[in-house]
Amino acid sequence: MNIQTPYLLFLGDAADPLAAKVAQGICDWRPENAIGQFRMEGCHADLGLRDMTIAESIEAGAKTLVIGVANRGGVISESWISILRDALAQGMDLAAGLHNKLADNAILKVDAEKLGRQLFDVRHPTDNFPVAAGVKRSGKRLLPVGTDCSCGKMYTALAIEKEMRSRGLNADFRATGQTGILITGKGVSIDAVVADFISGAVETLSPDNSDDHWDIIEGQGSLFHPSFAGVTLGLIHGSQPDALVLCHEPTRTHMRGLPTFSLPELQLCMETSLAAAKLTNPNAKFVGISVNTSKLDPEAAESYLKQTEQKTGLVTVDPVRQGVSRLVDSIGVAFS
Amino acid sequence: MNIQTPYLLFLGDAADPLAAKVAQGICDWRPENAIGQFRMEGCHADLGLRDMTIAESIEAGAKTLVIGVANRGGVISESWISILRDALAQGMDLAAGLHNKLADNAILKVDAEKLGRQLFDVRHPTDNFPVAAGVKRSGKRLLPVGTDCSCGKMYTALAIEKEMRSRGLNADFRATGQTGILITGKGVSIDAVVADFISGAVETLSPDNSDDHWDIIEGQGSLFHPSFAGVTLGLIHGSQPDALVLCHEPTRTHMRGLPTFSLPELQLCMETSLAAAKLTNPNAKFVGISVNTSKLDPEAAESYLKQTEQKTGLVTVDPVRQGVSRLVDSIGVAFS
């Protein structure tokens, strides 16, 4: 996937600000990709960007209209179609991370073919990937791994990339999920790849690079999530991470979606992840822990972070409350 | 996949007996599915079955023509097409485990649609699978796991099923790869499933069953193979195995296809596999070891098996040289 930037962000008839969280992510992490927003009547989200017509956004340089909103069921609303067709007609590509595909909409498909535009369904990889070779690649790689799904791996990776870049370091976030792909315009939705090619797709996503370069690869799932652990293991092996960061949400009472599965102890999760990582990179090591403390009050959060740091001996931060500056310091020390 | 049996086995213009190994597997493990063979001029394989025309096989009850031969590149030969069309025209379905699909051949596809016949491309699952639920299922399950790919997991599983059935036990082999699917007429090619659904597909393949029933699930890959370990981990979690059997080929100097990766120690491979299995079945245990000693002379084989048995304390057999009777005894003891 290689989506042309910058974007006009389509918020449609978003029911609330949360429904536009993909668009919000693009604004937060790649503001230079967000030229303007397009809101329909009754839209309850506002990114604070300039409201633009399609023509205005094209004049401002927009190349792609990104559907940055999810409605119930992740479908393409009938009420959006005339606007999407207009964007195609005026010269834009379309991109979406919805469950059903733009390319499965017969009207949009015919329009796009006739006009020579592209429809990017970022949840549905179209490339063919090789089987992983396992050959060590040049450059450095960092991968967040989680005690569970949805505990802050993408946020942590994007924050590390941003902090590294602000220090003049050579770093690229590599997206492995639909939101990350829409934010950066490229990547592979790794959980949608055919099983035999998980690791091979990650090898393709993060090729050889210069010795001082860091790929900050978006993590997925958890080795302890019985629905998705295969994806996580393939991602770890394909990433060949030099540095690992453990991501954790401390108030969760069970694995996401599975009430009978408890979360692993941090230490066990790190040992298991590290053993897996060492198969393709014997020098892999943990450089820190990233905790999502959003459900704790400030005192409880501070105390949890402090205790975890003492117990594990690893720099432990909440990337939202404190930033990842100390994590990046720790990477600097480990790989100096 | 649910392929109608029995079969007419198509050997085409097989270059040598090895090229017909899929057909040979069907004869070995499901002789009742193999009504006859169809050989073209210049065929160098012979299963010892009756040579039949398509009409003769249909009269004998054959429902499906199975392409039991692989030529270089795994393609469908031009010279086969007229025969395959004839089989469709006379009322048979077609099944194949080749890299390119029967359904991608425009002529066969049109014929099949017109005639209402099915084309089974067993390497390419067509079902949609759910995300794994991780809920413990009734009945018992055995899964072979390997130190490497292609070290005897399918053979071991089929031999255990056969031995259990011969003792009047209630057992079903569950195929997870193309050869196993063609042998039994059903299953899921697990490495071709979309990554998110590996474990879910295995849960579907091996549903709830009676307490005395054993699913003998075909193993795939290895947790120590950096190209395919994600498939293996998803298979382990979805299988929820009660019993594990370690499969090993002792003369291999490196992981299949990857000259720089050495094989894991048996003990480490068992510990890692068992830890993974316990996530979805805390009572999982190893019941034995199955060694492919085909590259050792009889004395060396005997000595290797004996030493391994002493070192690990687990029943260790070569299923080809000795059968799996002692393995099935061991299962009986462990689950009495």
Side-chain angles (χ1 to χ4, degrees):
Chain A
M1 297 265 174
N2 221 327
I3 307 169
Q4 281 198 84
T5 57
Y7 306 145
L8 174 63
L9 298 176
F10 178 78
L11 307 189
D13 41 5
D16 55 35
L18 198 63
K21 70 176 181 175
V22 168
Q24 186 67 56
I26 296 168
C27 288
D28 290 346
W29 297 108
R30 290 290 188 271
E32 69 275 20
N33 286 354
I35 289 252
Q37 64 186 12
F38 187 109
R39 301 191 294 162
M40 293 169 63
E41 215 177 288
C43 179
H44 289 91
D46 183 354
L47 303 169
L49 297 174
R50 209 182 119 199
D51 287 294
M52 288 183 177
T53 63
I54 286 165
E56 285 167 347
S57 78
I58 290 172
E59 207 174 296
K63 305 289 187 211
T64 303
L65 182 140
V66 169
I67 297 180
V69 59
N71 56 18
R72 199 181 293 266
V75 299
I76 299 159
S77 288
E78 272 308 308
S79 62
W80 300 351
I81 298 291
S82 61
I83 299 161
L84 304 184
R85 295 188 73 182
D86 191 25
L88 290 171
Q90 294 197 45
M92 300 178 96
D93 293 335
L94 303 180
L98 302 169
H99 275 288
N100 49 355
K101 293 157 82 168
L102 295 165
D104 284 346
N105 182 294
I107 295 169
L108 296 177
K109 194 178 176 190
V110 168
D111 279 7
E113 274 171 9
K114 210 162 50 188
L115 297 161
R117 312 275 181 255
Q118 293 199 72
L119 304 177
F120 293 99
D121 289 295
V122 303
R123 259 183 215 263
H124 304 274
T126 49
D127 293 350
N128 286 316
F129 297 103
V131 162
V135 175
K136 183 81 179 72
R137 308 192 295 287
S138 55
K140 297 250 181 305
R141 286 164 190 84
L142 181 145
L143 178 72
V145 293
T147 52
D148 194 3
C149 303
S150 307
C151 62
K153 291 181 288 289
M154 183 185 79
Y155 189 100
T156 301
L158 282 162
I160 290 172
E161 183 212 42
K162 191 175 180 181
E163 176 68 20
M164 282 184 155
R165 287 183 171 188
S166 79
R167 298 184 186 190
L169 298 169
N170 193 0
D172 284 299
F173 173 81
R174 301 295 186 187
T176 63
Q178 66 265 15
T179 305
I181 297 171
L182 288 174
I183 288 174
T184 57
K186 54 193 175 184
V188 181
S189 206
I190 204 72
D191 58 8
V193 165
V194 167
D196 243 0
F197 305 104
I198 308 171
S199 300
V202 182
E203 291 187 350
T204 304
L205 178 70
S206 169
D208 277 317
N209 217 314
S210 59
D211 287 345
D212 69 338
H213 181 274
W214 280 92
D215 269 344
I216 313 300
I217 300 172
E218 183 186 356
Q220 294 292 340
S222 164
L223 286 180
F224 288 85
H225 197 296
S227 309
F228 307 119
V231 174
T232 307
L233 186 60
L235 176 55
I236 291 174
H237 287 161
S239 293
Q240 305 177 349
D242 300 279
L244 293 158
V245 173
L246 182 69
C247 295
H248 181 56
E249 205 284 66
T251 69
R252 215 164 275 185
T253 53
H254 60 76
M255 297 299 282
R256 192 171 159 85
L258 301 177
T260 64
F261 285 86
S262 53
L263 267 73
E265 294 294 327
L266 300 193
Q267 202 61 47
L268 175 65
C269 188
M270 286 196 285
E271 282 166 16
T272 305
S273 302
L274 190 61
K278 287 191 168 183
L279 185 70
T280 55
N281 187 351
N283 298 318
K285 60 182 101 165
F286 271 91
V287 294
I289 300 177
S290 172
V291 184
N292 173 354
T293 64
S294 57
K295 294 194 178 151
L296 299 177
D297 64 46
E299 292 74 36
E302 200 185 322
S303 151
Y304 183 87
L305 295 171
K306 206 167 156 185
Q307 279 175 29
T308 304
E309 184 151 333
Q310 280 171 351
K311 206 158 56 181
T312 62
L314 288 167
V315 165
T316 303
V317 302
D318 181 323
V320 174
R321 290 188 198 255
Q322 309 164 314
V324 294
S325 173
R326 290 182 63 231
L327 272 185
V328 175
D329 291 347
S330 163
I331 297 165
V333 171
F335 296 90
S336 59
Chain B
M1 297 268 174
N2 221 326
I3 307 169
Q4 280 198 84
T5 57
Y7 307 145
L8 174 63
L9 298 177
F10 178 77
L11 307 189
D13 42 4
D16 54 35
L18 198 63
K21 70 176 181 176
V22 168
Q24 186 66 56
I26 296 168
C27 288
D28 290 347
W29 297 108
R30 290 289 188 273
E32 69 275 21
N33 286 353
I35 289 253
Q37 63 186 13
F38 187 108
R39 300 191 296 162
M40 293 168 63
E41 215 177 290
C43 179
H44 290 92
D46 182 356
L47 303 169
L49 297 174
R50 210 182 118 200
D51 287 293
M52 287 184 178
T53 64
I54 287 166
E56 285 167 346
S57 78
I58 290 172
E59 207 175 297
K63 305 290 188 212
T64 304
L65 182 140
V66 169
I67 297 180
V69 59
N71 56 16
R72 201 181 290 268
V75 299
I76 299 159
S77 289
E78 272 308 310
S79 62
W80 300 352
I81 298 291
S82 62
I83 299 161
L84 303 184
R85 294 188 74 183
D86 191 25
L88 289 170
Q90 294 196 46
M92 300 177 96
D93 293 335
L94 303 180
L98 302 169
H99 276 289
N100 50 355
K101 293 158 81 169
L102 295 166
D104 283 347
N105 182 293
I107 295 169
L108 297 177
K109 193 177 176 191
V110 167
D111 278 6
E113 275 171 9
K114 212 163 50 188
L115 297 161
R117 312 276 180 255
Q118 293 199 72
L119 304 177
F120 292 99
D121 288 295
V122 302
R123 258 182 215 264
H124 304 274
T126 49
D127 293 350
N128 286 316
F129 297 103
V131 162
V135 176
K136 184 81 180 72
R137 309 193 293 288
S138 54
K140 297 251 181 303
R141 285 164 191 84
L142 180 144
L143 179 71
V145 293
T147 52
D148 195 2
C149 302
S150 309
C151 62
K153 292 181 287 288
M154 184 185 79
Y155 189 99
T156 300
L158 283 162
I160 289 173
E161 183 213 42
K162 191 175 179 182
E163 176 69 21
M164 282 184 155
R165 287 183 171 188
S166 79
R167 298 186 187 190
L169 297 169
N170 192 0
D172 284 299
F173 173 81
R174 302 296 187 185
T176 63
Q178 66 266 15
T179 305
I181 297 171
L182 289 174
I183 289 174
T184 57
K186 54 193 176 183
V188 181
S189 206
I190 204 72
D191 58 8
V193 165
V194 167
D196 242 0
F197 306 104
I198 307 170
S199 301
V202 182
E203 291 188 351
T204 304
L205 178 70
S206 169
D208 277 317
N209 217 314
S210 58
D211 287 346
D212 69 339
H213 180 274
W214 280 91
D215 269 343
I216 313 299
I217 301 172
E218 182 186 357
Q220 294 293 340
S222 165
L223 287 179
F224 289 85
H225 197 296
S227 309
F228 308 118
V231 175
T232 307
L233 185 60
L235 175 56
I236 292 174
H237 287 161
S239 294
Q240 306 178 348
D242 301 279
L244 293 157
V245 172
L246 183 69
C247 296
H248 181 56
E249 204 283 68
T251 69
R252 214 163 275 185
T253 53
H254 60 76
M255 297 298 283
R256 193 170 158 83
L258 302 178
T260 64
F261 285 86
S262 53
L263 267 73
E265 294 294 327
L266 300 193
Q267 202 61 48
L268 175 65
C269 187
M270 286 196 285
E271 283 166 15
T272 305
S273 302
L274 190 61
K278 286 191 170 186
L279 184 70
T280 55
N281 187 350
N283 298 318
K285 60 182 100 163
F286 272 90
V287 294
I289 300 178
S290 172
V291 184
N292 173 353
T293 64
S294 57
K295 295 192 177 151
L296 299 177
D297 63 45
E299 293 73 36
E302 200 185 323
S303 152
Y304 183 88
L305 294 170
K306 206 167 156 185
Q307 280 176 28
T308 304
E309 183 151 332
Q310 280 171 350
K311 207 157 58 182
T312 62
L314 289 168
V315 165
T316 303
V317 302
D318 181 324
V320 175
R321 290 188 197 255
Q322 309 164 314
V324 294
S325 173
R326 290 183 62 229
L327 272 184
V328 175
D329 291 346
S330 162
I331 297 164
V333 171
F335 295 91
S336 59

